[in-house]
Amino acid sequence: MSTSETARPATLDAGALRELIDSGQGPRLLDVRTPAEFETSHIPGAYNVPLDLLKEHRDELRTHLAEDVVLICRSGTRATQAEQALAGVGLPNLKVLDGGMLAWQAADAPIKQGAPRWDLERQVRLVAGSIVLVSILASVLVPGLRWVAGLIGAGLTFAAVTNTCAMGMLLGKLPYNRGASCDLDTIVGQLRDGTATGRRA
């Protein structure tokens, strides 16, 4: 078995997760998308722990996550990164929702919806595409600007190879994506008390 195969996280499909939730045996659900994405739509009962906050405070979060945990994002990419971060501090019983919220919604499973906002991947495409377009058009006047488009292309290639996205992480910190307050103390309080006031439904 190759290293990439051994590094793959355990997954749970939408149907199996729905059965667990319906049976009352549901695991702790951690949605690692931005607060804005979470507020747009999420699985009822999920806690919002944005990926950047989870990575930065994984040691503190570990003490409040002893039971089974399913990590959720839009498609599974950020949830896989969260799984690696939490596994690195010795947290057992981690699974990633296979296909993320896209698969959950495709299965017509229950969601709690709020005001719609653009998801992070769409924002990255908009910003990267706009920078490339403007730099190519402006290179007619300033030829050196075409290299900006090249740098964006190189950055997107690096993001795909490493399964990370620096632009996405930067966009995730904008006020538009932070939404309502989502700080460590609030999240730890919700996890400790088993409630997610204002976020769980």
Side-chain angles (χ1 to χ4, degrees):
M1 187 176 284
S2 71
T3 304
S4 62
E5 289 174 328
T6 57
R8 292 176 65 186
T11 59
L12 191 66
D13 66 42
L17 177 57
R18 189 172 182 179
E19 285 178 16
L20 285 172
I21 293 170
D22 290 345
S23 72
Q25 304 293 319
R28 184 76 61 108
L29 305 176
L30 297 188
D31 190 320
V32 300
R33 295 175 300 156
T34 65
E37 290 174 292
F38 182 81
E39 289 166 9
T40 296
S41 66
H42 61 269
I43 299 173
Y47 295 82
N48 185 214
V49 185
L51 180 60
D52 58 343
L53 188 143
L54 181 144
K55 284 182 171 180
E56 185 178 347
H57 300 286
R58 56 191 168 195
D59 290 306
E60 295 100 314
L61 292 169
R62 187 204 185 289
T63 60
H64 302 284
L65 297 171
E67 68 273 30
D68 291 343
V69 172
V70 174
L71 298 154
I72 303 158
C73 68
R74 178 178 180 269
S75 62
T77 301
R78 284 177 277 174
T80 298
Q81 293 175 31
E83 188 274 341
Q84 292 166 349
L86 291 173
V89 293
L91 190 65
N93 308 320
L94 296 167
K95 289 186 176 63
V96 169
L97 176 60
D98 192 21
M101 285 298 293
L102 295 176
W104 183 261
Q105 290 171 309
D108 202 27
I111 59 170
K112 180 176 181 185
Q113 289 191 296
R117 295 192 191 202
W118 281 20
D119 61 61
L120 202 56
E121 285 85 353
R122 186 177 182 189
Q123 293 176 51
V124 168
R125 292 194 298 269
L126 173 68
V127 172
S130 298
I131 293 172
V132 169
L133 178 62
V134 169
S135 62
I136 292 297
L137 293 175
S139 70
V140 172
L141 300 174
V142 183
L145 287 178
R146 70 178 182 271
W147 292 107
V148 173
L151 288 172
I152 294 296
L156 292 173
T157 302
F158 179 79
V161 170
T162 61
N163 202 24
T164 61
C165 184
M167 185 179 291
M169 288 186 282
L170 289 173
L171 289 172
K173 295 181 184 302
L174 293 176
Y176 174 84
N177 290 311
R178 296 318 287 182
S181 172
C182 190
D183 59 77
L184 180 65
D185 292 337
T186 302
I187 291 169
V188 165
Q190 292 169 355
L191 293 172
R192 184 181 57 243
D193 300 338
T195 61
T197 305
R199 293 182 183 278
R200 197 173 189 186

